[in-house]
Amino acid sequence: MNIRKGNPEDMESVLGLIQELAIFEKEPEAVVITVEDLVRDGFGEKPLFNVFVAEIEDESSNKEIVGIALYYYRYSTWKGKTIHLEDLIVKEKMRGTGLGSALYAEIMKQGKKDNVRRVEWNVLDWNTPAVKFYESSGAKILEEWRVVQMDENGINSFLEKL
């Protein structure tokens, strides 16, 4: 297994993993981004995200991306620069191999390297294996905080009322 920074050529595989996650999270139709969006938004003049990819090599030296950790920088009014881990995804066939732990460790190393004061992410309450892993790593799950989102329809509806 090799973990490295992703590049534009990896985005087709990255999108495949994002779609696999959407299926796992029971929202397969929710993914609307394209490979072109990922390339533009992650590798343009002002990249909006960074990604680590985990790849394996088969007997024929073919490489396959089997996991990703996609993150971006945020700014906390209390802490300053932070990292938001948007998604940590491991192909189903690779779960339980330590690959997810390795990607997670890579994010924490990046946070240390960048001197961030916090790394944050969301986890679904029914994803018990992930919750247990994060708790065992020393992460705090903030039960009293709620994730708040406004989707495209909500934005339009809100603005129409102004």
Side-chain angles (χ1 to χ4, degrees):
M1 172 180 51
N2 178 42
I3 296 179
R4 61 174 173 77
K5 287 275 192 171
N7 60 54
E9 294 75 31
D10 298 328
M11 293 306 103
E12 187 173 337
S13 296
V14 168
L15 181 55
L17 283 163
I18 291 168
Q19 290 165 332
E20 187 173 322
L21 176 65
I23 292 166
F24 174 76
E25 292 185 353
K26 301 171 181 75
E27 292 194 57
E29 295 83 28
V31 178
V32 297
I33 62 166
T34 65
V35 170
E36 293 77 20
D37 293 332
L38 289 167
V39 170
R40 178 194 64 233
D41 296 342
F43 302 93
E45 193 173 310
K46 292 184 179 184
L48 299 175
F49 69 87
N50 297 285
V51 64
F52 288 111
V53 298
E55 62 186 2
I56 57 172
E57 195 172 307
D58 66 16
E59 311 81 43
S60 305
S61 296
N62 296 318
K63 294 180 180 179
E64 178 187 8
I65 294 175
V66 293
I68 65 164
L70 191 143
Y71 67 99
Y72 54 89
Y73 296 94
R74 292 174 58 178
Y75 195 83
S76 164
T77 56
W78 289 12
K79 300 294 181 185
K81 186 177 181 180
T82 68
I83 284 179
H84 181 82
L85 174 58
E86 179 63 22
D87 281 317
L88 193 156
I89 309 168
V90 175
K91 269 191 182 272
E92 188 172 7
K93 71 178 184 179
M94 296 300 295
R95 293 185 190 142
T97 65
L99 187 131
S101 296
L103 283 164
Y104 182 77
E106 205 63 36
I107 290 293
M108 296 308 153
K109 288 177 194 172
Q110 187 69 45
K112 181 77 171 163
K113 177 181 165 191
D114 293 339
N115 294 314
V116 301
R117 293 193 178 105
R118 180 170 64 209
V119 177
E120 55 198 345
W121 61 96
N122 299 318
V123 62
L124 290 167
D125 59 0
W126 56 260
N127 190 348
T128 308
V131 168
K132 287 181 179 177
F133 170 75
Y134 295 139
E135 288 176 333
S136 73
S137 78
K140 291 183 239 167
I141 297 179
L142 306 175
E143 303 287 342
E144 64 276 9
W145 284 83
R146 303 274 181 151
V147 175
V148 180
Q149 296 180 335
M150 179 84 80
D151 66 13
E152 204 171 358
N153 291 332
I155 294 168
N156 291 335
S157 178
F158 174 79
L159 292 174
E160 287 170 6
K161 295 175 186 173
L162 292 181

